[in-house]
Amino acid sequence: MTIFEKIASGEIPAKLIHETEDFVAFHDNNPQAPVHVLIIPRKCILRVALAEAAHADMLGRMLLASREIAEKLGVLESGYRLVINNGRDAGESVPHLHIHLLAGRALQWPPG
Ligand code: AMP
């Protein structure tokens, strides 16, 4: 089980902000911005490059949920960034697909 599967099942505590039958969102424990949330599928997909057609609906719903989460956290108007790190050069550190939602300050572009 990945650490994120344990968070999704409640085995490891996390500050949940949103949950559905097949995905959950919680606050990152090492936030890189005033708002830093991770949206993850409950069942592990290792990374987005390994997602399959069967995951398309859920991935779409995860993306759509980001709007609701941004609204809940008061950053819908100010803006937010969604990031998926895929693989070593992207800085992926947890091998369980996750969408970062970052907001609450002016973010730099391009990212480092
Ligand atoms: P990435 O580097 O894209 O794989 O992102 C992994 C993210 O997971 C990092 O931002 C970590 O701070 C975050 N993270 C790791 N463990 C936990 C945890 N137990 N609770 C909340 N966030 C975590």
Side-chain angles (χ1 to χ4, degrees):
M1 247 191 168
T2 67
I3 186 162
F4 286 177
E5 281 177 292
K6 289 181 182 171
I7 286 174
S9 71
E11 195 178 325
I12 289 181
K15 288 195 262 172
L16 291 196
I17 175 92
H18 185 89
E19 59 181 320
T20 70
E21 199 178 297
D22 49 8
F23 63 91
V24 303
F26 54 93
H27 292 275
D28 197 294
N29 69 358
N30 182 24
Q32 301 302 310
V35 170
H36 188 171
V37 166
L38 301 173
I39 308 168
I40 66 159
R42 286 186 187 276
K43 285 193 189 150
C44 183
I45 300 168
L46 282 176
R47 58 189 55 86
V48 73
L50 293 174
E52 297 171 2
H55 301 128
D57 280 359
M58 180 186 68
L59 292 173
R61 285 184 282 105
M62 286 167 65
L63 275 181
L64 292 174
S66 67
R67 182 195 192 283
E68 206 175 311
I69 294 164
E71 191 165 31
K72 214 180 262 184
L73 295 173
V75 295
L76 185 59
E77 295 305 321
S78 52
Y80 55 97
R81 181 175 294 166
L82 302 177
V83 174
I84 300 176
N85 293 323
N86 186 93
R88 186 192 57 220
D89 280 357
E92 176 196 307
S93 62
V94 177
H96 181 138
L97 191 158
H98 46 284
I99 302 172
H100 296 259
L101 187 160
L102 296 145
R105 66 173 170 83
L107 299 166
Q108 302 291 312
W109 190 263

